[in-house]
Amino acid sequence: MLQDLLEGAGRSIVFGLVGIGLMAVGFVLIDLLTPGKLRNLIWVDRNPNAALLLAANQLGIAAIVFTAIFTSYDSFGQGLASTALFGLVGIVIMGLAFLVLDWMTPGKLGEVICTDDYHGGALVSAASHFGAALIVCACIA
């Protein structure tokens, strides 16, 4: 029994690290899609638009990782590989959703996200990110 508990704890740590790594990649994606430094926009300038978009991105990635783990293969290696793969696919899909929304709307979406005052476009962009993540979750399940 102790062996099973330790093995489960070890797997949890590895899956957790993969999830955190994917969330870090998601952070980098949002940083690339928006002008300026995301960390400064959110933590120094307290920009609500950038914070909303990043929050939706992080929750979306977490949902993908959760779904991938929950429906994981019996083999630890296969489950870990599928979690990483689906996480990366989700990040790419969310990035594409941002670019498509940017193409469909007036102005540059990245600049809208960086405005100091709350902008409804940030909410739409956040919903697009999270919606894209849910689509990937459905494909996993």
Side-chain angles (χ1 to χ4, degrees):
M1 180 170 125
L2 181 58
Q3 170 113 9
D4 290 341
L5 288 173
L6 292 175
E7 186 176 313
R11 289 179 182 202
S12 295
I13 290 169
V14 173
F15 274 114
L17 291 174
V18 168
I20 290 169
L22 288 166
M23 291 171 77
V25 172
F27 182 97
V28 170
L29 171 73
I30 300 299
D31 197 24
L32 292 173
L33 292 173
T34 55
K37 285 286 184 194
L38 186 60
R39 59 187 295 150
N40 290 340
L41 281 170
I42 296 172
W43 283 275
V44 176
D45 301 337
R46 298 180 181 199
N47 182 299
N49 302 313
L52 179 62
L53 179 60
L54 181 61
N57 177 272
Q58 297 292 279
L59 288 170
I61 293 169
I64 292 168
V65 170
F66 169 83
T67 305
I69 293 169
F70 193 72
T71 62
S72 188
Y73 294 94
D74 289 336
S75 162
F76 175 66
Q78 284 181 312
L80 192 60
S82 70
T83 299
L85 177 64
F86 280 117
L88 291 173
V89 166
I91 290 167
V92 168
I93 297 294
M94 285 188 278
L96 287 173
F98 183 93
L99 295 174
V100 167
L101 187 62
D102 185 35
W103 173 72
M104 295 175 68
T105 56
K108 296 298 292 174
L109 188 54
E111 292 172 6
V112 166
I113 299 300
C114 293
T115 60
D116 291 334
D117 296 324
Y118 171 75
H119 192 289
L123 183 59
V124 173
S125 183
S128 176
H129 261 258
F130 194 70
L134 291 179
I135 291 167
V136 175
C137 289
C139 292
I140 297 170

